């Protein structure tokens, strides 16, 4: 899937984040990703959050910047159109080596896609 196939927008409203909290999630390393299907346009929306457990405002902002860049690189190839994603920073996200952080995000997205494609039993 390429950028031409769907558009990526940001989640900004609290009800969207809360709806994703009730959906499927996958934790890998320093990130937790929640994915919620929608019955709308082939649009991917993504939001980012970091709690005070990560640290002060400087650390939380750094964590979210790192997660935004990882999502910018990986979502066009791994995200499913029509889904909302929330990427949550976990402890160690600011100190994790960049290649490992990318691997965490990629493996979480792949796991969510695999769980979604698995038939219900």
């Amino acid at each position: 899937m390429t950028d031409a196939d769907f558009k990526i927008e940001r989640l900004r409203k609290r009800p969207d984040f809360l709806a994703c909290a009730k959906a499927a999630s996958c934790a890998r390393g320093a990130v937790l990703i929640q994915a919620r299907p929608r019955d709308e346009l082939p649009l991917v929306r993504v939001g980012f959050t970091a709690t005070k457990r990560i640290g002060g405002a400087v650390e939380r902002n750094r964590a979210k910047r790192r997660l935004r860049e990882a999502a910018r690189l990986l979502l066009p190839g791994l995200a499913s159109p029509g889904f909302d994603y929330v990427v949550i920073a976990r402890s160690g996200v600011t100190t994790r080596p960049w290649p490992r952080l990318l691997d965490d995000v990629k493996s979480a997205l792949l796991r969510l896609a695999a769980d979604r494609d698995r038939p219900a039993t």
Side-chain angles (χ1 to χ4, degrees):
M1 186 121 321
T2 64
D3 283 323
D5 296 325
F6 62 87
K7 186 176 179 185
I8 297 176
E9 289 185 357
R10 291 282 303 276
L11 286 177
R12 298 192 187 274
K13 298 186 190 264
R14 180 171 165 77
D16 293 330
F17 281 87
L18 293 176
C20 279
K22 296 175 184 173
S25 66
C26 181
R28 290 288 187 266
V31 299
L32 175 106
I33 299 180
Q34 301 167 334
R36 177 180 76 105
R38 290 184 339 274
D39 295 327
E40 296 176 14
L41 302 171
L43 173 72
V44 171
R45 298 189 312 171
V46 63
F48 303 91
T49 187
T51 65
K52 287 188 178 180
R53 266 186 255 163
I54 300 301
V58 173
E59 289 84 10
R60 290 194 308 272
N61 289 336
R62 181 179 297 128
K64 289 189 280 187
R65 279 195 308 269
R66 292 187 90 203
L67 293 176
R68 278 194 298 267
E69 181 61 16
R72 185 188 69 79
L73 294 173
L74 296 173
L75 280 179
L78 298 173
S80 299
F83 273 76
D84 287 347
Y85 293 92
V86 173
V87 184
I88 302 171
R90 296 173 75 194
S91 63
V93 71
T94 56
T95 58
R96 196 151 182 95
W98 181 244
R100 288 192 62 196
L101 182 63
L102 286 177
D103 188 51
D104 292 345
V105 173
K106 181 177 180 179
S107 62
L109 287 170
L110 289 173
R111 178 58 184 247
L112 286 168
D115 289 348
R116 179 177 54 250
D117 294 340
R118 184 178 306 138
T121 56

